């Protein structure tokens, strides 16, 4: 078993890397834009957030794989006033009772200039170490209005597919790659 764990870790990290690299910039921009449009059309809380956001960081395809030890990764685009303003990568690792593969997307709505500055000026940051991030789930979305927007960043997940139980952004590291 001691020899199998490192092999599993290497295979998982390789799978996530292969699945999340190689996307051409133009494709990533159009995929991110399409994902954001779909999220806003299907989720009124996301639409309210977008109407007040200074910028939106969209990761249209994040792949998560795990068997006891897991990894996830993906690439995304930061949109300022609807225009692409940088490519980003998100990565994370986890350990625990888990097995499976999952694909999903998420969008971070940057609600003030301080949040935008944080994302632009930090050389890699982890969700939870910078401005406060509120993960908007279905329950919260029902009571979400523009009057209740008080955080620096709101996160919405979308398009979950696969066979892995649970989903969290906590511990995800985000870094600018261009």
């Amino acid at each position: 078993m001691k020899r199998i764990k490192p092999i599993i870790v290497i295979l998982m990290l390789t799978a996530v890397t292969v699945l999340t690299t190689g996307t051409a910039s133009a494709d990533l921009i159009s995929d991110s834009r399409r994902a954001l449009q779909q999220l806003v059309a299907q989720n009124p809380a996301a639409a309210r957030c977008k109407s007040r956001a200074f910028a939106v960081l969209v990761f249209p395809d994040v792949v998560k794989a795990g068997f006891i030890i897991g990894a996830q990764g993906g690439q995304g685009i930061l949109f300022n006033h609807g225009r692409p303003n940088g490519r980003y990568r998100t990565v994370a690792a986890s350990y625990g009772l888990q097995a499976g593969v999952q694909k999903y997307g998420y969008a971070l709505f940057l609600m003030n200039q301080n949040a935008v500055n944080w994302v632009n000026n930090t050389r890699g940051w982890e969700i939870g170490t910078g401005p406060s991030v509120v993960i908007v789930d279905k329950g919260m979305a029902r009571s979400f209005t523009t009057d209740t927007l008080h955080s620096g960043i709101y996160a919405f997940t979308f398009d979950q597919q696969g066979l892995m139980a649970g989903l969290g952004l906590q511990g995800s590291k985000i870094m600018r790659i261009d």
Side-chain angles (χ1 to χ4, degrees):
M1 184 68 174
K2 288 182 181 179
R3 292 182 184 163
I4 294 175
K5 282 185 183 179
I7 293 170
I8 291 171
V9 171
I10 291 168
L11 288 174
M12 300 251 262
L13 291 174
T14 302
V16 169
T17 302
V18 166
L19 291 170
T20 61
T21 57
T23 304
S25 238
D27 290 340
L28 182 60
I29 291 169
S30 63
D31 289 348
S32 298
R33 192 178 307 277
R34 190 176 318 110
L36 179 59
Q37 289 169 346
Q38 185 176 1
L39 171 64
V40 168
Q42 295 175 351
N43 188 323
R48 287 189 288 276
C49 253
K50 184 177 183 271
S51 72
R52 302 275 301 267
F54 278 61
V56 184
L57 180 54
V58 182
F59 294 96
D61 293 312
V62 177
V63 177
K64 181 178 183 179
F67 181 75
I68 300 173
I69 297 170
Q72 68 184 38
Q75 291 186 19
I77 298 292
L78 177 68
F79 293 102
N80 270 344
H81 306 292
R83 283 184 254 152
N85 190 22
R87 245 174 71 199
Y88 289 78
R89 173 173 286 134
T90 180
V91 295
S94 57
Y95 178 79
L97 189 58
Q98 57 187 327
V101 176
Q102 186 174 52
K103 182 179 167 191
Y104 64 98
Y106 72 92
L108 300 173
F109 292 85
L110 311 175
M111 303 309 293
N112 55 49
Q113 191 59 50
N114 288 339
V116 175
N117 292 344
W118 176 263
V119 169
N120 284 330
N121 299 328
T122 305
R123 298 183 125 253
W125 57 284
E126 289 185 36
I127 289 180
T129 61
S132 64
V133 176
V134 175
I135 298 176
V136 181
D137 61 14
K138 289 179 183 176
M140 181 183 181
R142 279 189 224 114
S143 62
F144 199 69
T145 69
T146 54
D147 292 333
T148 60
L149 296 172
H150 299 295
S151 183
I153 302 174
Y154 289 91
F156 290 80
T157 60
F158 54 87
D159 289 343
Q160 292 173 296
Q161 302 169 7
L163 301 173
M164 182 165 278
L167 173 66
L169 299 178
Q170 199 168 25
S172 294
K173 184 165 184 144
I174 298 172
M175 60 219 113
R176 189 171 181 138
I177 55 176
D178 72 347

